[in-house]
Amino acid sequence: MKVLSPLVSITLAQSTLCVAQGYTNESEVPYYGRSPAVYPTPVGNGSTSAAWKDAYQRAKALVAQMTIEEKSNLTRGHDGQCVGNSGAIPRLSIPQLCFADAPDGVRGQEFVSAFPAGIHVAATWDRSLMYRYGNALGQEYYGKGINVALGPVAGPLGRVARGGRNWEGLGADPYLAGGGLGAITKGIQDAGVIATAKHWLLNEEEWRRNPGDMGESLSSNVDDRTLHELYAFPFMDSLREGVGSVMCSYQRANHSYGCQNSKLLNGVLKTELGFEGFVVSDWEAQHAGVATANAGLDIVMPDGGFWGQYLTGAVNNGSVSTKRLDDMATRILAAWYYAGQEKNYPSPVVYSESEKHDPLDVQADHAELIREIGSAGTVLVKNVNQTLPFSNSTRFLSVYGYDATVSATPWANPSRYGGGYEVNFGWNILNGTLVTGGGSGGSTPPYVVSPFQALQERISRNRGTLRWDFYSDNPTPAYVNSDACLVFINAYASEAFDRTSLTDEFSDNLVQNVAANCTNTVIVIHSTGIRTVDAWINHPNVTAVIFAGLPGQESGHSLVDILYGDISPSGRLPFTVAKNESDYGHLLNSTVSFDAFPEVNFTEGLYIDYRAYDRDGIEPRFEFGFGLSYTTFEYSDLQITSTGNSTSTFVDSSIPIVQGGHPELWDVLFDVTCSITNTGDVSAPEVAQLYIEIPNAPARQLRGFERVPLEPGETKQVSFSVTRRDLSIWDVVAQQWRLQAANYTAFVGASSRNLHLNGMLEIV
């Protein structure tokens, strides 16, 4: 296979960019702003594993029996009962494949669960919960007969603080996002459902993501090293876990649309990372026919697009090769076989709200897991004089704020994104508690346990008293006998637009007005991501603050478990909360442009979120990885041990690439261990975090995390496995991951800025 060189000439502007990012060589930005051509599409062969090999053999045998028209039919969307439906070939017993949203629950259906959003799952910092989450999701998709789940999400990564879809993803760090993406992928596919890692790639803002009357979509312009080390990095974990589908994104990347970007699809995804499955377009993200086929797109959604009979014609006239069409069909069927869906897979059971039907309940006992993850992802960021947890003697509470209860009208019109309805919990001020974000990623709760409902349950058991005012921003002064005043606010975001602020005046006024009259004011924020709090965080009467995320249907129970100390908070922030919105600099807003060919230049390179704060010496309000507990912990006994695996500069090129990249990238080079002791008197998990200082890179980068439950006085050893990939940088000249001969400082602690232990990893 011939792959054209990605190296092109460097312009003066690109040279300036290199200097601005601290790069020492102009060639570190070899194609910034201009995506190089990489053709032809690699032909999948199933070399990754025995399971993929078997799937490919069976798929190829089936494709060999098809006509050109049948192959073309397989690669395009069709009308049907699902959000997306592939073509069927009845004579070969190939059914339509059913594609459905969302990454946090089957959308628009009844008797399905509303799981916490991706950003909330990331806040647990717990791979076990991430896997169980994915597996429970997969079980519900399987139960509904849905072949392809459109999730999980690591794009957007969270480059832009006000990005509208950040909440669907798994935090603003590629290692944390990768850990979640891999675990959720494995969980979904262990249930027999094809997972779809999305959105590939550089889908970091909603403004002008699609072409329209103003012109083309925005172009995300990024250098090669940043593309690999930040944005492609988390997808590698999903690929390694065998993900069967990857969704290409809407916007242009280095001036080439995501679903016809041969560098991203043919070059990075299918060559460097050995992807064996199929690439599906985001809905209506195909903007050309022949170009998308030759660039590596395998199936177009939602219906037809530029393919169908046009693809057949392109193959017949030689514009698209028969080999490419065969590969498209083979990849789709190989993923189907790989997931085992040819064996008595349930038929799709997907309804519209207007149809009379017998309901199918797939919820099982998932509410218990949702409640557990809801609590585990709840982040306590302020707790003066141990205001929390409440005791059972805390029997008189005053409750304020629109987010405390469910909306009176939670259901919107049928979603324009296809199929079912969107839930608008908290979509604007006074519209109720927020349990999910908006757009195609939103879930459809079977019910919502609001914070107020859960508080009523607890207070009634304690024979206490509640007083409330949900809608005023200047409520009646607090009842003098109240033990505490709880204020509930939220911050909404959605697909199709980016946020305009990280705060809002109504909510800030509400907090300040309650705190002015109540000496024990506890603030609870349900949010789709970053929410700044400096308008009131230092008010002497604000005694506790909780970032309660997007916890799903069991929201109130998860929160009250924390408030009353049934569970100690262990959630940690998956992003940085600044003191001022201006502290995010040019990474605050989406790039609003009315040009016919809008640009967004990723001039910050590797320096997003905490990496930028560390570089620039900016003190955040709450740093990445931060969160409080009801107990205290002590770290000790750091040990760093070399495994003896090869530390050559580059991997062995004679070893074939498999899905997820070169196998040696996943070799463990060092084991880092330490001991953690619960020095308090409350049972609680601690989230230990490993950061490594990699030469010629950001000062500290997350490279390990572990959530460790500990009884009072108990000590446990925590171990982090550090791989070659974890220590490597992307060499844009060699077009390989490069391990540097140097000393790497390892830090272990409780956040990106609360680091208790350090030691040295030496590579010679």
Side-chain angles (χ1 to χ4, degrees), residues 440-621:
S440 64
S443 60
T444 310
Y447 59 82
V448 172
V449 177
S450 71
F452 187 66
Q453 176 185 335
L455 285 167
Q456 286 193 101
E457 293 171 4
R458 179 62 67 114
I459 288 293
S460 67
R461 289 206 305 270
N462 293 341
R463 298 174 64 188
T465 296
L466 281 174
R467 294 291 183 263
W468 60 89
D469 181 345
F470 300 137
Y471 303 115
S472 301
D473 67 342
N474 190 14
T476 303
Y479 292 89
V480 293
N481 287 332
S482 293
D483 295 313
C485 300
L486 294 166
V487 182
F488 290 87
I489 60 177
N490 66 41
Y492 180 73
S494 174
E495 180 180 7
F497 58 88
D498 295 307
R499 297 166 68 185
T500 57
S501 176
L502 299 180
T503 183
D504 73 84
E505 185 178 4
F506 181 98
S507 301
D508 286 346
N509 287 341
L510 171 63
V511 171
Q512 291 167 331
N513 289 334
V514 172
N517 294 290
C518 182
T519 59
N520 189 21
T521 300
V522 176
I523 313 303
V524 178
I525 308 168
H526 287 110
S527 70
T528 50
I530 299 166
R531 207 289 185 185
T532 54
V533 296
D534 270 59
W536 42 261
I537 190 66
N538 291 320
H539 194 293
N541 290 343
V542 173
T543 55
V545 178
I546 292 173
F547 275 74
L550 296 175
Q553 69 192 45
E554 288 286 322
S555 173
H557 288 150
S558 297
L559 176 66
V560 170
D561 286 345
I562 295 290
L563 290 174
Y564 278 86
D566 299 337
I567 295 173
S568 178
S570 63
R572 300 293 183 264
L573 291 174
F575 44 71
T576 296
V577 177
K579 291 184 176 181
N580 305 295
E581 292 197 28
S582 60
D583 290 343
Y584 294 100
H586 78 282
L587 298 181
L588 173 63
N589 291 315
S590 53
T591 304
V592 177
S593 169
F594 297 95
D595 292 345
F597 296 90
E599 312 277 344
V600 51
N601 295 315
F602 289 31
T603 53
E604 71 287 343
L606 300 172
Y607 293 90
I608 68 170
D609 202 77
Y610 70 93
R611 301 155 174 245
Y613 281 69
D614 290 346
R615 179 196 60 187
D616 298 336
I618 300 173
E619 182 183 359
R621 173 54 60 194

Side-chain angles (χ1 to χ4, degrees), residues 110-113 139-140 143-144 349 351 358-366 446:
E110 58 200 27
F111 294 100
V112 297
S113 301
Q139 291 172 28
E140 297 204 8
K144 289 289 187 180
V349 183
Y351 305 113
D358 294 326
L360 176 63
D361 185 353
V362 296
Q363 298 170 95
D365 59 356
H366 298 155

Side-chain angles (χ1 to χ4, degrees), residues 65-182:
Q65 302 175 54
M66 296 182 191
T67 65
I68 289 178
E69 290 76 13
E70 287 172 332
K71 296 170 194 173
S72 296
N73 189 58
L74 194 63
T75 63
R76 55 159 290 190
H78 292 259
D79 290 335
Q81 60 179 327
C82 300
V83 172
N85 308 271
S86 69
I89 306 175
R91 75 177 185 88
L92 296 176
S93 301
I94 299 173
Q96 281 192 325
L97 299 186
C98 172
F99 294 67
D101 296 310
D104 56 356
V106 182
R107 185 169 59 96
Q109 298 299 300
E110 58 200 27
F111 294 100
V112 297
S113 301
F115 291 83
I119 199 68
H120 195 101
V121 180
T124 70
W125 294 62
D126 187 323
R127 285 186 178 85
S128 174
L129 285 177
M130 292 166 176
Y131 171 82
R132 290 169 57 201
Y133 170 88
N135 194 241
L137 275 171
Q139 291 172 28
E140 297 204 8
Y141 276 95
Y142 181 93
K144 289 289 187 180
I146 296 164
N147 303 89
V148 185
L150 300 177
V153 176
L157 182 65
R159 171 184 180 265
V160 178
R162 291 178 175 176
R165 300 187 78 174
N166 290 351
W167 62 275
E168 295 183 43
L170 292 155
D173 177 85
Y175 187 91
L176 176 63
L181 203 71

Side-chain angles (χ1 to χ4, degrees), residues 8 33 267 294 297 320 343 450 453 488 617 677:
V8 297
N294 289 334
L297 181 63
V320 176
K343 306 170 186 174
S450 71
Q453 176 185 335
F488 290 87
T677 302

